[in-house]
Amino acid sequence: MKKQLLPFYQTLQLPLLGEKQVQVVVKRLDLLHPVIQGNKHYKLLHNIRAAKERGYAKILTFGGAFSNHIHATAISAAQNGLQSIGLIRGEIPRPLNPTLADAENQGMQLYPMSRTDYREKQSPFVLEQLRLKFGEVYIIPEGGTNALAIKGSREILDPEDKLMDVVAVPIGTGGTFAGLLASASQNQQVLGFSALKGAFIHQEISKLLVDHQIRPSCSWDIHTTYHFGGYGKFKPELIAFIKEIKETCGLPLEPLYTGKMLFGLMDLIRKDAFHKGTRILVIHTGGLQGIRGFNQRFKTDL
């Protein structure tokens, strides 16, 4: 892979990898943009373009209080001359955490949404109520996952990336994973590491593939045992791992997605899940802006 010498690619040098004779190359999507990092760049790209082409002045989307998607949408909308509205699950913390403070500073109007309504946020009734309240708005789903987001996620893999044997990526709402399944070559295996507790993600991915008529030519699997208690949950060993990788490799990770993914991948390598000589491409999906709030909340330093 010629691009390994460029800043967007980082080959990990760890004793475990030398012992197992497995190569791990990280595609640093976190370096694509100072703030619209990682997969959010790809998932928002075509949505923002569509909103402008269709004449919308406002974008409305959903997320939790620490949502990378809320953060990226606020900044992307502002940079494209669009207003933005963020419906936040549950309560809005005051004072605002760094994620929401950034969003508000970019002009995003923040509104709390009850957890009951939030669970029904994609129902026709709730969507109609939102349009009555906010007017003509371009609505982007939670996490940004829709047809245009998957279209953008198809563009993550460059031709040389498809020479790698395995592609590893964290999974939240599943849009990025679906896009990778649509674009990976038939000689590759795509591994997803779910950040959420429960096996329901298998059904979610299957539905995305059916709804968007994706028929993967690659093999694929989803690991659901490295969630550390569920979304937003973590354990001391995960935090210690993230700090170790940063210290030894200079690779920053966050504990919601990328940290869990790389922890799981290293555990699989340790357990000889891959043949000697396997070349693994890890997709770093960004989300590093959330580290500020995490450090503030838990008095740590990732």
PDB file of all heavy atoms in Angstrom, residues 85-105:
ATOM      1  N   ILE A  85     -30.815  22.516  13.676  1.00  0.00           N
ATOM      2  CA  ILE A  85     -31.598  22.245  14.883  1.00  0.00           C
ATOM      3  C   ILE A  85     -31.191  20.868  15.393  1.00  0.00           C
ATOM      4  O   ILE A  85     -31.167  19.898  14.626  1.00  0.00           O
ATOM      5  CB  ILE A  85     -33.111  22.263  14.585  1.00  0.00           C
ATOM      6  CG1 ILE A  85     -33.534  23.641  14.083  1.00  0.00           C
ATOM      7  CG2 ILE A  85     -33.914  21.855  15.817  1.00  0.00           C
ATOM      8  CD1 ILE A  85     -34.922  23.661  13.474  1.00  0.00           C
ATOM      9  N   GLY A  86     -30.865  20.790  16.671  1.00  0.00           N
ATOM     10  CA  GLY A  86     -30.484  19.516  17.262  1.00  0.00           C
ATOM     11  C   GLY A  86     -31.475  19.113  18.338  1.00  0.00           C
ATOM     12  O   GLY A  86     -31.667  19.845  19.318  1.00  0.00           O
ATOM     13  N   LEU A  87     -32.129  17.976  18.160  1.00  0.00           N
ATOM     14  CA  LEU A  87     -33.041  17.450  19.173  1.00  0.00           C
ATOM     15  C   LEU A  87     -32.261  16.455  20.026  1.00  0.00           C
ATOM     16  O   LEU A  87     -31.806  15.418  19.535  1.00  0.00           O
ATOM     17  CB  LEU A  87     -34.239  16.785  18.513  1.00  0.00           C
ATOM     18  CG  LEU A  87     -35.112  17.733  17.663  1.00  0.00           C
ATOM     19  CD1 LEU A  87     -36.319  16.997  17.119  1.00  0.00           C
ATOM     20  CD2 LEU A  87     -35.555  18.935  18.481  1.00  0.00           C
ATOM     21  N   ILE A  88     -32.106  16.788  21.292  1.00  0.00           N
ATOM     22  CA  ILE A  88     -31.231  16.043  22.190  1.00  0.00           C
ATOM     23  C   ILE A  88     -32.051  15.076  23.045  1.00  0.00           C
ATOM     24  O   ILE A  88     -33.045  15.473  23.682  1.00  0.00           O
ATOM     25  CB  ILE A  88     -30.440  17.003  23.100  1.00  0.00           C
ATOM     26  CG1 ILE A  88     -29.729  18.071  22.248  1.00  0.00           C
ATOM     27  CG2 ILE A  88     -29.447  16.236  23.953  1.00  0.00           C
ATOM     28  CD1 ILE A  88     -28.800  17.530  21.180  1.00  0.00           C
ATOM     29  N   ARG A  89     -31.646  13.833  23.053  1.00  0.00           N
ATOM     30  CA  ARG A  89     -32.351  12.803  23.821  1.00  0.00           C
ATOM     31  C   ARG A  89     -32.325  13.123  25.312  1.00  0.00           C
ATOM     32  O   ARG A  89     -31.257  13.358  25.897  1.00  0.00           O
ATOM     33  CB  ARG A  89     -31.701  11.443  23.569  1.00  0.00           C
ATOM     34  CG  ARG A  89     -32.370  10.285  24.307  1.00  0.00           C
ATOM     35  CD  ARG A  89     -31.685   8.967  24.039  1.00  0.00           C
ATOM     36  NE  ARG A  89     -30.300   8.972  24.497  1.00  0.00           N
ATOM     37  CZ  ARG A  89     -29.249   8.916  23.691  1.00  0.00           C
ATOM     38  NH1 ARG A  89     -29.416   8.881  22.380  1.00  0.00           N
ATOM     39  NH2 ARG A  89     -28.024   8.909  24.195  1.00  0.00           N
ATOM     40  N   GLY A  90     -33.501  13.178  25.923  1.00  0.00           N
ATOM     41  CA  GLY A  90     -33.572  13.438  27.352  1.00  0.00           C
ATOM     42  C   GLY A  90     -33.348  14.908  27.674  1.00  0.00           C
ATOM     43  O   GLY A  90     -33.871  15.794  27.006  1.00  0.00           O
ATOM     44  N   GLU A  91     -32.533  15.153  28.691  1.00  0.00           N
ATOM     45  CA  GLU A  91     -32.301  16.514  29.148  1.00  0.00           C
ATOM     46  C   GLU A  91     -31.058  17.101  28.479  1.00  0.00           C
ATOM     47  O   GLU A  91     -30.155  16.379  28.072  1.00  0.00           O
ATOM     48  CB  GLU A  91     -32.109  16.543  30.674  1.00  0.00           C
ATOM     49  CG  GLU A  91     -33.278  15.944  31.463  1.00  0.00           C
ATOM     50  CD  GLU A  91     -33.321  14.433  31.413  1.00  0.00           C
ATOM     51  OE1 GLU A  91     -32.239  13.813  31.252  1.00  0.00           O
ATOM     52  OE2 GLU A  91     -34.422  13.860  31.495  1.00  0.00           O
ATOM     53  N   ILE A  92     -31.028  18.429  28.409  1.00  0.00           N
ATOM     54  CA  ILE A  92     -29.831  19.138  27.955  1.00  0.00           C
ATOM     55  C   ILE A  92     -29.071  19.595  29.191  1.00  0.00           C
ATOM     56  O   ILE A  92     -29.600  20.369  29.994  1.00  0.00           O
ATOM     57  CB  ILE A  92     -30.194  20.353  27.078  1.00  0.00           C
ATOM     58  CG1 ILE A  92     -30.878  19.873  25.789  1.00  0.00           C
ATOM     59  CG2 ILE A  92     -28.951  21.168  26.746  1.00  0.00           C
ATOM     60  CD1 ILE A  92     -31.325  20.991  24.871  1.00  0.00           C
ATOM     61  N   PRO A  93     -27.854  19.099  29.389  1.00  0.00           N
ATOM     62  CA  PRO A  93     -27.106  19.454  30.605  1.00  0.00           C
ATOM     63  C   PRO A  93     -26.705  20.924  30.621  1.00  0.00           C
ATOM     64  O   PRO A  93     -26.330  21.486  29.597  1.00  0.00           O
ATOM     65  CB  PRO A  93     -25.866  18.551  30.519  1.00  0.00           C
ATOM     66  CG  PRO A  93     -25.680  18.300  29.059  1.00  0.00           C
ATOM     67  CD  PRO A  93     -27.078  18.238  28.483  1.00  0.00           C
ATOM     68  N   ARG A  94     -26.837  21.533  31.789  1.00  0.00           N
ATOM     69  CA  ARG A  94     -26.397  22.913  31.979  1.00  0.00           C
ATOM     70  C   ARG A  94     -25.433  22.957  33.150  1.00  0.00           C
ATOM     71  O   ARG A  94     -25.753  22.445  34.213  1.00  0.00           O
ATOM     72  CB  ARG A  94     -27.589  23.830  32.232  1.00  0.00           C
ATOM     73  CG  ARG A  94     -28.578  23.906  31.088  1.00  0.00           C
ATOM     74  CD  ARG A  94     -28.023  24.680  29.912  1.00  0.00           C
ATOM     75  NE  ARG A  94     -28.974  24.693  28.768  1.00  0.00           N
ATOM     76  CZ  ARG A  94     -28.724  25.326  27.626  1.00  0.00           C
ATOM     77  NH1 ARG A  94     -27.578  25.961  27.460  1.00  0.00           N
ATOM     78  NH2 ARG A  94     -29.614  25.293  26.649  1.00  0.00           N
ATOM     79  N   PRO A  95     -24.257  23.554  33.017  1.00  0.00           N
ATOM     80  CA  PRO A  95     -23.764  24.170  31.786  1.00  0.00           C
ATOM     81  C   PRO A  95     -23.551  23.120  30.698  1.00  0.00           C
ATOM     82  O   PRO A  95     -23.399  21.932  30.993  1.00  0.00           O
ATOM     83  CB  PRO A  95     -22.445  24.808  32.226  1.00  0.00           C
ATOM     84  CG  PRO A  95     -21.995  23.986  33.377  1.00  0.00           C
ATOM     85  CD  PRO A  95     -23.251  23.588  34.097  1.00  0.00           C
ATOM     86  N   LEU A  96     -23.523  23.574  29.457  1.00  0.00           N
ATOM     87  CA  LEU A  96     -23.354  22.661  28.340  1.00  0.00           C
ATOM     88  C   LEU A  96     -21.993  21.984  28.391  1.00  0.00           C
ATOM     89  O   LEU A  96     -20.986  22.603  28.747  1.00  0.00           O
ATOM     90  CB  LEU A  96     -23.488  23.422  27.010  1.00  0.00           C
ATOM     91  CG  LEU A  96     -24.837  24.058  26.700  1.00  0.00           C
ATOM     92  CD1 LEU A  96     -24.757  24.823  25.394  1.00  0.00           C
ATOM     93  CD2 LEU A  96     -25.937  23.007  26.646  1.00  0.00           C
ATOM     94  N   ASN A  97     -21.977  20.698  28.014  1.00  0.00           N
ATOM     95  CA  ASN A  97     -20.687  20.012  27.877  1.00  0.00           C
ATOM     96  C   ASN A  97     -19.994  20.521  26.608  1.00  0.00           C
ATOM     97  O   ASN A  97     -20.607  21.221  25.793  1.00  0.00           O
ATOM     98  CB  ASN A  97     -20.886  18.489  27.851  1.00  0.00           C
ATOM     99  CG  ASN A  97     -21.728  18.020  26.674  1.00  0.00           C
ATOM    100  OD1 ASN A  97     -21.542  18.459  25.540  1.00  0.00           O
ATOM    101  ND2 ASN A  97     -22.665  17.111  26.938  1.00  0.00           N
ATOM    102  N   PRO A  98     -18.708  20.206  26.409  1.00  0.00           N
ATOM    103  CA  PRO A  98     -17.984  20.739  25.244  1.00  0.00           C
ATOM    104  C   PRO A  98     -18.637  20.430  23.904  1.00  0.00           C
ATOM    105  O   PRO A  98     -18.628  21.259  22.995  1.00  0.00           O
ATOM    106  CB  PRO A  98     -16.605  20.086  25.369  1.00  0.00           C
ATOM    107  CG  PRO A  98     -16.423  19.864  26.831  1.00  0.00           C
ATOM    108  CD  PRO A  98     -17.797  19.489  27.327  1.00  0.00           C
ATOM    109  N   THR A  99     -19.217  19.236  23.756  1.00  0.00           N
ATOM    110  CA  THR A  99     -19.861  18.858  22.487  1.00  0.00           C
ATOM    111  C   THR A  99     -21.027  19.782  22.160  1.00  0.00           C
ATOM    112  O   THR A  99     -21.121  20.336  21.064  1.00  0.00           O
ATOM    113  CB  THR A  99     -20.351  17.399  22.548  1.00  0.00           C
ATOM    114  OG1 THR A  99     -19.228  16.522  22.645  1.00  0.00           O
ATOM    115  CG2 THR A  99     -21.163  17.031  21.310  1.00  0.00           C
ATOM    116  N   LEU A 100     -21.930  19.964  23.129  1.00  0.00           N
ATOM    117  CA  LEU A 100     -23.103  20.800  22.887  1.00  0.00           C
ATOM    118  C   LEU A 100     -22.743  22.285  22.851  1.00  0.00           C
ATOM    119  O   LEU A 100     -23.372  23.062  22.120  1.00  0.00           O
ATOM    120  CB  LEU A 100     -24.169  20.538  23.952  1.00  0.00           C
ATOM    121  CG  LEU A 100     -24.767  19.123  23.966  1.00  0.00           C
ATOM    122  CD1 LEU A 100     -25.873  19.020  25.010  1.00  0.00           C
ATOM    123  CD2 LEU A 100     -25.303  18.736  22.584  1.00  0.00           C
ATOM    124  N   ALA A 101     -21.736  22.672  23.617  1.00  0.00           N
ATOM    125  CA  ALA A 101     -21.299  24.069  23.582  1.00  0.00           C
ATOM    126  C   ALA A 101     -20.764  24.427  22.203  1.00  0.00           C
ATOM    127  O   ALA A 101     -21.073  25.499  21.653  1.00  0.00           O
ATOM    128  CB  ALA A 101     -20.224  24.315  24.644  1.00  0.00           C
ATOM    129  N   ASP A 102     -19.975  23.528  21.613  1.00  0.00           N
ATOM    130  CA  ASP A 102     -19.481  23.750  20.250  1.00  0.00           C
ATOM    131  C   ASP A 102     -20.642  23.873  19.273  1.00  0.00           C
ATOM    132  O   ASP A 102     -20.662  24.742  18.401  1.00  0.00           O
ATOM    133  CB  ASP A 102     -18.581  22.597  19.811  1.00  0.00           C
ATOM    134  CG  ASP A 102     -17.190  22.659  20.415  1.00  0.00           C
ATOM    135  OD1 ASP A 102     -16.874  23.666  21.085  1.00  0.00           O
ATOM    136  OD2 ASP A 102     -16.418  21.696  20.208  1.00  0.00           O
ATOM    137  N   ALA A 103     -21.619  22.965  19.407  1.00  0.00           N
ATOM    138  CA  ALA A 103     -22.771  22.968  18.492  1.00  0.00           C
ATOM    139  C   ALA A 103     -23.542  24.282  18.603  1.00  0.00           C
ATOM    140  O   ALA A 103     -23.899  24.898  17.592  1.00  0.00           O
ATOM    141  CB  ALA A 103     -23.687  21.784  18.791  1.00  0.00           C
ATOM    142  N   GLU A 104     -23.796  24.711  19.824  1.00  0.00           N
ATOM    143  CA  GLU A 104     -24.530  25.965  20.017  1.00  0.00           C
ATOM    144  C   GLU A 104     -23.729  27.158  19.508  1.00  0.00           C
ATOM    145  O   GLU A 104     -24.292  28.087  18.910  1.00  0.00           O
ATOM    146  CB  GLU A 104     -24.869  26.145  21.496  1.00  0.00           C
ATOM    147  CG  GLU A 104     -25.827  27.294  21.756  1.00  0.00           C
ATOM    148  CD  GLU A 104     -26.312  27.328  23.185  1.00  0.00           C
ATOM    149  OE1 GLU A 104     -25.540  27.779  24.063  1.00  0.00           O
ATOM    150  OE2 GLU A 104     -27.458  26.894  23.439  1.00  0.00           O
ATOM    151  N   ASN A 105     -22.428  27.134  19.710  1.00  0.00           N
ATOM    152  CA  ASN A 105     -21.576  28.222  19.220  1.00  0.00           C
ATOM    153  C   ASN A 105     -21.570  28.299  17.692  1.00  0.00           C
ATOM    154  O   ASN A 105     -21.273  29.361  17.125  1.00  0.00           O
ATOM    155  CB  ASN A 105     -20.145  28.049  19.738  1.00  0.00           C
ATOM    156  CG  ASN A 105     -20.029  28.350  21.221  1.00  0.00           C
ATOM    157  OD1 ASN A 105     -20.867  29.050  21.790  1.00  0.00           O
ATOM    158  ND2 ASN A 105     -19.008  27.799  21.863  1.00  0.00           N
TER     159      ASN A 105
END
